Every structure is written in structure tokens, then in C-alpha cells.
């Protein structure tokens, strides 16, 4: 199949801002360079754009699946940002959202918690960030992997592809599940001497 055949489906949503209705549209394009672009539209005019460049055009079904996950995540994050941001009268965003940096910094914050050995990122649909990460988690926690969707449903699904936020201890003093609402993280830990409990430290990292 040609590169042009691997095109993930775009996403569109509407967000109310007082008397105004904004349209949020996220789509993939491979020209002039591969990218994911989310546009905030008011009255048919684009008032803001958030773009995430990709390393290369999609060339396989597996890559397309990964980009679809990225697209959905970016779309939900922009929707969340737009619904909470204060807009001026001409609907210009006062603060530019930093989507990618926010996601990466959270993973680093979780990994830096004392006693955390490994962090496994999984989206709200139960897909890990890569096949390698999925296999590693499966080897360590086969029973949990088999019932992954039931475990994730500890945090109930909400409208718009979100889940409840929070932290849950899956295996005492060893495995924890954290939900940001937009994505989930499994944290593999070990016992260490600490002033506060692990759940509190994980929650603090999510709240930053």
C-alpha cells in the first residue's frame, strides 16, 4: 500500500465559550511534512492552531494505529484546554497550550518518584505506547494484562473518551495505576523508606 493510503480519521468536536461555540478539529497530513494539527475555529475562521510534527509519514497499519492514538490524545487535550482557558473578546487564546511538553514532563515526574522502578504508559482504550512496552508488561503481569480493560475500569469511563482521575494500588507496595483522565500509567515500585505513602506522592505528581 502507498503512503497516501495510511490516513487516520480526523476528529471534530464543539466547545461552548459563553455565547460562542468553538469547533475543535484535529487531522493528520503528510505534506509538506507529516504532522498532526488541531485547529480552533470560530465563525468559520481559524483562531488558533496546535501542531505536532511527526518523524516520518505513516507507512504501515501499525504506525497508523499509533498515530491514531496520538491524534485522539491531542484532540482531547486541546478540548480540555479550550474549555478551561479564558478567551478575550476576539477569541484569541491568551496562553498557548503546551501539549507535548506537559505529557512528557508527567512521565518524568512519575519515574522520578523514589521507589519507582518502571512506568508503563497506556491510553484509555487499553493500548500501550508501543508493542515492546506491551510485551514487557505482559511478561511481568500476565494476569493483569489478560483483564486489562477491567483493571482500567477501576476509573470509570466519562464522556469524550476520558476516565475518572486518581491513583489506585493494584498490588500492595508493588504496582499502582494512575489516571490523569486522558491517559493512564502503571507504576512498578519497590519498598523504600519515605515520609509519605506512595499513593500520595503519585497523586502529587499528577497534580503538578
Amino acid at each position: 500500500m502507498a503512503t497516501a493510503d495510511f490516513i487516520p480519521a480526523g476528529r471534530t468536536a464543539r466547545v461552548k465559550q459563553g455565547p460562542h461555540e468553538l469547533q475543535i478539529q484535529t487531522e493528520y497530513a503528510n505534506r509538506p511534512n507529516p504532522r498532526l494539527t488541531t485547529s480552533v475555529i470560530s465563525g468559520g475562521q481559524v483562531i488558533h492552531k496546535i501542531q505536532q510534527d511527526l518523524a516520518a509519514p505513516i507507512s504501515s497499519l501499525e504506525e497508523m494505529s499509533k498515530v491514531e492514538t496520538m491524534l485522539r490524545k491531542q484532540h482531547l487535550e486541546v478540548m480540555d484546554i479550550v474549555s478551561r482557558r479564558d478567551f478575550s473578546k476576539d477569541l484569541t487564546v491568551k496562553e498557548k497550550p503546551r501539549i507535548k511538553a506537559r505529557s512528557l514532563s508527567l512521565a518524568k515526574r512519575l519515574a522520578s518518584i523514589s521507589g519507582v522502578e518502571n512506568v508503563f504508559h497506556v491510553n484509555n482504550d487499553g493500548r500501550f505506547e508501543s508493542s515492546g512496552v506491551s510485551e514487557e508488561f505482559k511478561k511481568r503481569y500476565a494476569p493483569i494484562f489478560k483483564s486489562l480493560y477491567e483493571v482500567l475500569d477501576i476509573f470509570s469511563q466519562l464522556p469524550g473518551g476520558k476516565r475518572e482521575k486518581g491513583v489506585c494500588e493494584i498490588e500492595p507496595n508493588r504496582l499502582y495505576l494512575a489516571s490523569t483522565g486522558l491517559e493512564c500509567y502503571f507504576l512498578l515500585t519497590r519498598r523504600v523508606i519515605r515520609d509519605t505513602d506512595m499513593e500520595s506522592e503519585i497523586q502529587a505528581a499528577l497534580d503538578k
Side-chain angles (χ1 to χ4, degrees):
M1 298 176 69
T3 300
D5 295 325
F6 299 105
I7 305 295
R11 291 208 162 204
T12 301
R14 296 183 183 278
V15 175
K16 293 287 290 184
Q17 275 284 348
H20 305 282
E21 186 178 76
L22 305 179
Q23 181 178 348
I24 314 299
Q25 181 175 307
T26 305
E27 54 190 1
Y28 164 84
N30 58 14
R31 293 182 180 178
N33 59 289
R35 64 196 184 279
L36 295 176
T37 302
T38 301
S39 301
V40 182
I41 303 168
S42 175
Q45 293 186 330
V46 176
I47 62 170
H48 200 71
K49 277 191 176 183
I50 298 90
Q51 180 171 303
Q52 181 177 177
D53 293 329
L54 304 178
I58 300 172
S59 58
S60 68
L61 290 174
E62 182 180 1
E63 290 179 4
M64 187 169 75
S65 177
K66 292 179 181 179
V67 173
E68 284 176 342
T69 299
M70 295 171 61
L71 186 150
R72 181 168 57 253
K73 177 184 174 184
Q74 177 168 313
H75 185 76
L76 290 173
E77 288 184 338
V78 174
M79 282 183 61
D80 185 57
I81 289 169
V82 170
S83 65
R84 292 185 289 104
R85 284 291 186 270
D86 181 26
F87 284 74
S88 61
K89 292 182 180 180
D90 61 354
L91 293 177
T92 298
V93 178
K94 291 184 176 180
E95 180 181 346
K96 183 178 180 181
R98 298 180 179 180
I99 296 173
K100 192 172 182 181
R102 179 184 177 190
S103 176
L104 291 175
S105 63
L106 173 57
K108 290 180 179 179
R109 288 200 303 271
L110 293 173
S112 68
I113 295 173
S114 178
V116 172
E117 293 182 350
N118 210 338
V119 177
F120 300 91
H121 175 212
V122 58
N123 68 20
N124 281 348
D125 294 331
R127 285 193 285 185
F128 288 84
E129 60 184 343
S130 71
S131 57
V133 172
S134 177
E135 284 301 313
E136 183 180 355
F137 186 85
K138 184 178 180 179
K139 288 179 182 178
R140 288 175 177 262
Y141 291 99
I144 293 176
F145 187 87
K146 290 180 180 179
S147 57
L148 183 61
Y149 298 107
E150 290 81 358
V151 174
L152 293 179
D153 280 343
I154 290 172
F155 299 107
S156 300
Q157 298 186 47
L158 302 174
K162 298 182 180 180
R163 288 184 181 275
E164 292 179 327
K165 299 179 181 180
V167 180
C168 180
E169 186 179 50
I170 304 299
E171 181 181 312
N173 300 309
R174 188 56 173 163
L175 186 67
Y176 295 81
L177 173 63
S179 169
T180 68
L182 296 171
E183 58 193 350
C184 296
Y185 293 86
F186 284 100
L187 288 83
L188 178 62
T189 71
R190 66 181 187 280
R191 287 180 179 273
V192 296
I193 299 175
R194 55 183 359 103
D195 296 327
T196 58
D197 62 271
M198 178 63 80
E199 289 187 47
S200 297
E201 292 192 35
I202 294 173
Q203 187 62 59
L206 297 179
D207 293 340
K208 285 184 180 179

